[in-house]
Amino acid sequence: MDKNAIIKIIGTQRLGNDSDKIEMTTVGSIEETDSQYILRYSEEQEPPLKPTNVKLSINKSEDRVEMLRSGSIGSLLIIERSKRNLCSYATEFGDLLMGIYGKNIENCFDGEKGVFTFGYDIDVNGALTSQNEVTVELKIN
């Protein structure tokens, strides 16, 4: 059963000495199954684009994260620890094929609040484009 939650997402991208950090707080939901946590929320986009719906599935075994984005722009990122996956990322200018190399995946959820973290590298045509860390803080309403 889905539970309403306040979700704070902190994303950091690095390449060399350059770093960029994005923070977003939104309302959404969490569903806990036997094997994973499933978070759902929407991200507002610049007009005229409609909001993007996000489904974030985090395995309790801490070996896989899937981020499915749907709406005006859609994508599916598959992050598996110590494994590289090819993923299609849609932009308003067309699709981009990226390599996603999963590094760390951690989750800590006690039924009322939790923190989920995962790290991954992105490459395009084999060239590293960014090193990413995502922290998702969640609190049940």
Side-chain angles (χ1 to χ4, degrees):
M1 181 171 89
D2 285 6
K3 294 180 182 177
N4 292 333
I6 296 173
I7 302 170
K8 180 178 182 181
I9 300 145
I10 304 162
T12 305
Q13 294 181 317
R14 287 190 242 336
L15 184 59
N17 293 329
D18 295 332
S19 180
D20 188 27
K21 185 176 182 178
I22 297 172
E23 291 189 31
M24 178 186 86
T25 301
T26 187
V27 292
S29 67
I30 182 168
E31 175 186 354
E32 184 175 355
T33 70
D34 289 340
S35 61
Q36 57 185 200
Y37 302 103
I38 302 169
L39 285 65
R40 291 181 178 88
Y41 59 91
S42 290
E43 292 179 354
E44 292 297 320
Q45 304 296 320
E46 292 291 325
L49 297 177
K50 294 184 176 165
T52 299
N53 295 316
V54 180
K55 177 182 174 189
L56 185 61
S57 304
I58 305 162
N59 284 8
K60 290 182 177 180
S61 58
E62 299 183 334
D63 62 348
R64 182 181 175 105
V65 174
E66 287 186 15
M67 182 182 292
L68 175 64
R69 299 165 58 90
S70 58
S72 299
I73 299 173
S75 64
L76 174 61
L77 296 182
I78 299 171
I79 302 160
E80 292 182 280
R81 186 184 302 133
S82 301
K83 187 174 178 183
R84 182 176 180 265
N85 288 291
L86 287 176
C87 300
S88 178
Y89 189 82
T91 72
E92 55 191 291
F93 306 107
D95 290 353
L96 184 63
L97 189 61
M98 303 183 307
I100 307 293
Y101 180 79
K103 297 191 306 194
N104 60 304
I105 300 171
E106 298 173 15
N107 62 61
C108 179
F109 183 67
D110 67 8
E112 293 298 318
K113 62 185 184 312
V115 177
F116 306 91
T117 58
F118 49 96
Y120 57 97
D121 292 345
I122 297 177
D123 68 78
V124 177
N125 292 330
L128 181 66
T129 58
S130 67
Q131 298 172 304
N132 303 272
E133 284 287 331
V134 176
T135 300
V136 179
E137 299 172 0
L138 177 133
K139 185 174 180 183
I140 301 295
N141 278 350

